[in-house]
């Protein structure tokens, strides 16, 4: 059987992973779904393409829709169920990339504010794939943390969530929940004035814009109850608030999960499920691009903060995003989207550590990122 697949043109590694039974057509997500979407058997999207009755008035021949992402707040699950269309996501694909982003942010903050990171307690809100990866790294670093995830505590025996009051005593909060507008544990403005007025040294949001109430956070930053914040996701992105971006310690265009390794897994996970649905398999020989040891930036004078900062692209994205501040909304949004789609991807530290040369040269502290044995 030939499967006619329509896919977002920025889903990486699709050509490498596809078997020959699939006929692939790409679409540009900036232009929305094409008119003839319903003539395909399967559709693969990213977070920038909402799937609902409005964007897809006729599902036609579509039997399977997948998103090559961890988050699914752009998907109307009820709609797909009613239409009888199977759905899958790429859970956990970028957990490692986001966790490395968060740890880099923590070290950068400690470096820039001359703070002893090891004397601080980190509150992890949402302890699924990403929050779990953050916790694994915090443990390796011997940094104190508190794990907050009431829904997980309800569904998983063996996981105990901290109480809200305990979470709010932490010095730093990092957010890793989905954006859920309803249900028993909604997360829209989960961190609002009530939480944030407790005062924090640092807020990190790499989950979704809207999990943290940006306006409340910014007001509390102005009154110095919140000392610093790092934002990768924004309320209303691809547009973003100029003042909030300007005063962020780090401001990036939703790229915490962007790495060669994560993008490979993103496509591999959802495509495997799609192909399985049609009784097919991914090409088992496909691999993500390899990190070259010569790309490793290292000097014996580097602190761990500097080493991390030099070996990822947060600095680049932050600099480029700030150039968009103050532009008309449309230009800002386009600049934000272009930065996300046109920048070469970074490699994860754990992938760098697969190189013998890096292993031998990197200082001991960097070795905590070598968790390839537990990678998915
Ligand atoms: N910036 C990025 O590049 C990037 C990358 C990956 C994921 N994300 C976002 O981060 C989210 C989490 O990713 P993940 O892979 O860890 O998902 P996950 O599903 O593995 O984990 C989410 C966790 O959040 C918990 N949670 C839900 N509601 C909660 C609440 N009210 N309070 C506390 N915890 C709650 C869940 O129980 C679950 O354990 C995604 O849904 C996505 O929106 C962003
Ligand atoms: O939910 C996710 O997986 C992340 O937010 C992901 O990084 C978004 O990726 P994109 O939709 O831009 O491919």
């Amino acid at each position: 059987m030939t499967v006619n697949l329509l896919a977002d043109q920025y889903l990486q590694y699709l050509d490498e992973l596809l078997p020959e039974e699939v006929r692939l057509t790409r679409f540009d997500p900036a232009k929305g779904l094409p008119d003839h979407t319903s003539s395909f058997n399967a559709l693969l999207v990213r977070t920038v393409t909402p799937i609902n009755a409005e964007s897809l008035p006729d599902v036609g021949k579509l039997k399977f829709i997948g998103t090559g992402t961890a988050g699914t707040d752009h998907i109307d699950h009820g709609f797909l169920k009613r239409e009888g269309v199977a759905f899958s996501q790429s859970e956990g694909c970028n957990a490692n990339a986001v966790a490395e982003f968060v740890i880099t942010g923590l070290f950068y903050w400690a470096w820039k504010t001359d703070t002893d990171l090891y004397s601080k307690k980190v509150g992890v809100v949402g302890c699924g794939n990403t929050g779990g990866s953050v916790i694994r790294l915090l443990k390796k670093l011997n940094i104190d943390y508190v794990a907050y995830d009431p829904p997980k505590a309800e569904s998983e025996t063996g996981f105990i969530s901290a109480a809200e009051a305990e979470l709010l005593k932490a010095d730093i909060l990092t957010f890793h929940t989905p954006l859920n507008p309803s249900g028993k544990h909604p997360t829209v403005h989960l961190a609002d004035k009530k939480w944030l007025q407790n005062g924090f040294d640092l807020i990190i949001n790499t989950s979704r814009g809207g999990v943290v109430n940006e306006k409340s956070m910014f007001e509390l930053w102005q009154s110095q109850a919140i000392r610093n914040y790092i934002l990768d996701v924004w309320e209303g992105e691809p547009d973003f608030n100029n003042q909030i971006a300007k005063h962020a310690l780090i401001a990036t265009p939703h790229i915490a999960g962007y790495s060669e390794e994560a993008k490979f897994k993103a496509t591999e996970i959802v495509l495997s499920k799609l192909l399985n649905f049609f009784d097919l398999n991914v090409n088992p020989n496909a691999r993500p691009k390899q990190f070259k040891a010569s790309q490793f930036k290292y000097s014996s004078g580097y602190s761990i903060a500097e080493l991390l900062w030099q070996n990822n692209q947060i600095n680049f994205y932050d600099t480029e995003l700030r150039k968009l501040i103050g532009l008309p909304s449309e230009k800002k949004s386009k600049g934000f989207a272009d930065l996300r789609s046109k920048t070469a991807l970074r490699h994860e530290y754990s992938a760098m550590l697969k190189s013998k040369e890096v292993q031998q040269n990197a200082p001991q502290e960097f070795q905590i990122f070598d968790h390839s044995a537990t990678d998915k």
Side-chain angles (χ1 to χ4, degrees):
M1 170 201 186
T2 301
V3 175
N4 285 311
L5 169 64
L6 177 68
D8 180 309
Q9 71 181 40
Y10 297 112
L11 270 173
Q12 316 268 327
Y13 293 107
L14 200 46
D15 295 307
E16 292 90 326
L17 283 157
L18 274 184
E20 56 192 24
E21 292 89 342
V22 177
R23 197 177 303 140
L24 173 65
T25 305
R26 298 279 201 167
F27 74 96
D28 178 357
K31 296 183 180 146
L33 287 171
D35 291 339
H36 60 305
T37 299
S38 59
S39 66
F40 291 87
N41 311 119
L43 169 65
L44 286 179
V45 299
R46 297 168 40 247
T47 57
V48 291
T49 302
I51 295 294
N52 51 46
E54 217 173 293
S55 67
L56 202 55
D58 171 24
V59 298
K61 294 184 181 164
L62 282 170
K63 294 277 172 278
F64 187 104
I65 296 183
T67 183
T69 61
T72 64
D73 48 291
H74 54 303
I75 307 290
D76 182 338
H77 296 279
F79 163 71
L80 290 185
K81 217 170 172 186
R82 282 194 299 280
E83 295 292 336
V85 178
F87 171 78
S88 267
Q89 73 206 76
S90 298
E91 62 283 332
C93 60
N94 40 26
N96 198 34
V98 177
E100 291 189 356
F101 177 103
V102 170
I103 299 296
T104 305
L106 287 174
F107 274 105
Y108 180 77
W109 164 77
W111 174 26
K112 291 295 153 185
T113 58
D114 200 14
T115 306
D116 174 18
L117 178 58
Y118 295 90
S119 69
K120 298 293 178 183
K121 188 182 251 191
V122 181
V124 181
V125 183
C127 306
N129 286 298
T130 312
S133 289
V134 171
I135 288 172
R136 194 177 59 219
L137 290 173
L138 291 173
K139 272 188 191 160
K140 284 195 182 186
L141 286 162
N142 273 323
I143 294 175
D144 203 5
Y145 69 91
V146 50
Y148 179 79
D149 192 327
K152 184 170 167 140
E154 280 169 18
S155 62
E156 251 184 66
T157 41
F159 176 82
I160 298 168
S161 173
E164 188 178 300
E166 195 188 339
L167 172 77
L168 299 178
K169 281 189 213 144
D171 305 292
I172 294 165
L173 292 183
T174 180
F175 289 86
H176 304 289
T177 70
L179 182 69
N180 283 336
S182 57
K184 190 172 172 199
H185 297 283
T187 57
V188 172
H189 289 180
L190 176 66
D192 61 5
K193 199 172 173 192
K194 180 175 160 254
W195 272 25
L196 299 172
Q197 70 191 359
N198 285 279
F200 294 95
D201 289 332
L202 177 65
I203 299 292
I204 305 178
N205 190 11
T206 57
S207 61
R208 281 291 181 267
V211 169
V212 175
N213 183 338
E214 273 179 8
K215 234 177 132 217
S216 301
M217 184 194 71
F218 190 60
E219 279 166 15
L220 287 159
W221 174 83
Q222 286 174 311
S223 68
Q224 299 202 350
I226 287 173
R227 305 310 299 251
N228 280 288
Y229 58 90
I230 294 175
L231 293 184
D232 178 55
V233 288
W234 307 81
E235 290 194 60
E237 71 178 59
D239 198 0
F240 57 89
N241 181 294
N242 290 322
Q243 285 308 307
I244 296 177
K246 184 177 166 195
H247 295 288
L249 180 71
I250 298 175
T252 48
H254 194 157
I255 50 69
Y258 275 28
S259 69
E260 290 289 351
E261 293 73 27
K263 287 291 182 186
F264 181 85
K265 278 190 270 180
T267 303
E268 189 190 33
I269 294 171
V270 75
L271 185 66
S272 300
K273 293 195 254 181
L274 182 155
L275 293 175
N276 188 36
F277 183 86
F278 292 102
D279 265 335
L280 297 169
N281 293 304
V282 291
N283 169 9
N285 301 318
R287 297 277 178 277
K289 268 184 210 149
Q290 293 295 298
F291 176 76
K292 294 191 194 81
S294 57
Q295 295 171 279
F296 190 60
K297 296 179 197 134
Y298 177 63
S299 136
S300 56
Y302 282 172
S303 63
I304 183 71
E306 215 167 347
L307 177 72
L308 299 184
W309 196 244
Q310 293 296 338
N311 280 288
N312 66 56
Q313 298 153 306
I314 300 178
N315 188 8
F316 170 80
Y317 284 115
D318 175 83
T319 306
E320 294 302 309
L321 186 132
R322 286 175 202 276
K323 290 181 188 164
L324 304 173
I325 293 174
L327 291 179
S329 260
E330 229 170 85
K331 281 198 173 164
K332 253 164 75 187
S333 300
K334 184 174 180 317
F336 188 101
D338 282 352
L339 265 178
R340 303 187 77 223
S341 56
K342 296 190 176 148
T343 307
L345 293 168
R346 75 186 194 261
H347 282 277
E348 292 171 23
Y349 305 135
S350 55
M352 296 180 190
L353 280 161
K354 284 183 182 148
S355 146
K356 282 234 150 54
E357 223 172 309
V358 172
Q359 263 176 38
Q360 280 158 10
N361 284 324
Q364 194 54 37
E365 273 171 302
F366 191 66
Q367 312 284 343
I368 63 132
F369 295 103
D370 184 9
H371 44 81
S372 50
T374 54
D375 278 357
K376 283 200 182 153

